[in-house]
Amino acid sequence: MTREWLLSDAPLSRRQAKLGQAYRTWLGFRTNGLAMFGLLIVVVLVLLALFAPWLAPHDPLTGDLNTTRLLPPLTEGYWLGTDDQGRDILSRLIYGSRITLAVVALVAILATPLGLLIGTTAGYFGGWVDTVLMRFTDIVLAFPKLILALAFVAALGPGIENAIIAIAITAWPPYARLARAETLTIRNSDFIAATKLQGASSARIIWKHIVPLCMSSIIVRVTLDMAGIILTAAGLGFLGLGAQPPQPEWGAMIAGGRNFLIDYWWVATMPGIAIFVVSLGFNLLGDGLRDVLDPKGQK
């Protein structure tokens, strides 16, 4: 009965229509095996972050230099081995998932609204407003993300908070370009003209009518960019500009293990594998969302 209600061709309310559309999107998404695998990876990441104190077998910040230093994987009690400080690598990876998830979520929260605001404003008003905002966007896009993030972190000072701000500052231009393109296709639509005739302000038209229509494309782009955000954060951590020791940030863990790469390969390899798997998960998830949310990408 619930399935029939959701899939009804004649919904009786706006709520039923929205739930039905969401259910149809889920039905299309779950037919994509790779996308479901990506979703599984992301869900596991979220669960690790939420339940880290109960899942981590050891303290991620302290170790025993006398008895547990540089133990190989599969050692009793240390499945992924230990680092040069005698700390359990598995526990540090589990707690590091919190930092990774926080970086991804906060960058998305900070960069997405900024990109939407600039892109929709430029596309809706056009003229000199469009020219000024898009030329500013082009200037930011002209710099490689990592180089620009390095410059901002160097100015703000090392630390995970400053790294998140720096990445967010460099992440918004693609969302602005995408939102502008979407706005240009709908700003002259009949329903926009009807809304103007009803006396709606430009701000209301942008946020109540144009932004919701841009969200599908923006969600896809944000999901696909999350892998790049993770790699940028790891790069800053590797260079010592992200999370500071002894915090278990994956990029910093790789930096700490590079001096032992030949003889004690697991110290740097395990966090590298974690970054690869999580980045792959977000890429597969974003690819699946593109197939179901982007009408132009559907076959």
Side-chain angles (χ1 to χ4, degrees):
M1 182 63 68
T2 303
R3 178 184 174 88
E4 295 177 356
W5 182 77
L6 290 172
L7 297 179
S8 174
D9 295 330
L12 301 177
S13 65
R14 182 176 299 180
R15 175 173 172 270
Q16 182 181 356
K18 290 183 177 180
L19 291 176
Q21 180 60 37
Y23 184 64
R24 290 186 179 90
T25 300
W26 166 250
L27 292 178
F29 180 84
R30 72 179 188 180
T31 60
N32 188 330
L34 290 177
M36 290 297 293
F37 180 64
L39 177 62
L40 175 63
I41 293 175
V42 174
V43 170
V44 170
L45 175 69
V46 173
L47 293 177
L48 287 177
L50 289 176
F51 300 104
W54 297 275
L55 295 176
H58 300 279
D59 189 324
L61 303 180
T62 59
D64 188 344
L65 291 173
N66 293 324
T67 59
T68 62
R69 183 175 185 270
L70 295 173
L71 295 179
L74 302 181
T75 300
E76 184 177 358
Y78 301 94
W79 292 2
L80 299 183
T82 60
D83 63 8
D84 59 310
Q85 301 297 317
R87 299 170 297 197
D88 179 41
I89 293 177
L90 175 60
S91 299
R92 290 179 62 77
L93 290 179
I94 292 174
Y95 272 90
S97 65
R98 289 184 159 187
I99 298 177
T100 298
L101 193 62
V103 169
V104 169
L106 291 176
V107 169
I109 291 172
L110 294 174
T112 304
L114 178 60
L116 272 172
L117 174 63
I118 293 176
T120 53
T121 301
Y124 180 77
F125 289 104
W128 67 269
V129 175
D130 183 25
T131 301
V132 171
L133 292 178
M134 285 301 101
R135 295 301 75 78
F136 175 67
T137 303
D138 291 339
I139 291 173
V140 179
L141 281 172
F143 294 92
K145 285 185 178 181
L146 182 57
I147 301 300
L148 193 58
L150 283 172
F152 280 114
V153 174
L156 296 173
I160 190 62
E161 297 85 0
N162 291 338
I164 291 172
I165 295 173
I167 297 172
I169 292 174
T170 63
W172 64 265
Y175 310 144
R177 302 286 298 196
L178 183 58
R180 174 182 178 270
E182 295 282 349
T183 304
L184 289 175
T185 63
I186 60 179
R187 69 176 181 179
N188 295 322
S189 301
D190 292 340
F191 76 94
I192 296 295
T195 305
K196 289 180 181 179
L197 290 175
Q198 292 176 353
S201 64
S202 297
R204 180 177 178 82
I205 291 173
I206 291 173
W207 287 107
K208 293 293 185 179
H209 299 280
I210 295 179
V211 168
L213 294 176
C214 298
M215 286 307 298
S216 295
S217 300
I218 293 296
I219 289 173
V220 172
R221 182 58 192 256
V222 169
T223 308
L224 289 171
D225 283 352
M226 284 180 177
I229 292 171
I230 292 171
L231 293 175
T232 303
L236 293 176
F238 182 84
L239 296 173
L241 297 175
Q244 298 300 295
Q247 294 299 315
E249 198 274 325
W250 294 348
M253 290 174 65
I254 295 177
R258 60 183 171 177
N259 296 326
F260 311 96
L261 193 58
I262 302 300
D263 297 323
Y264 307 102
W265 54 269
W266 58 87
V267 180
T269 301
M270 296 305 177
I273 292 175
I275 294 173
F276 167 76
V277 171
V278 173
S279 299
L280 176 65
F282 277 113
N283 275 328
L284 294 177
L285 177 61
D287 192 60
L289 289 175
R290 180 182 59 192
D291 291 340
V292 298
L293 294 179
D294 186 4
K296 295 183 289 294
Q298 294 177 359
K299 300 180 177 59

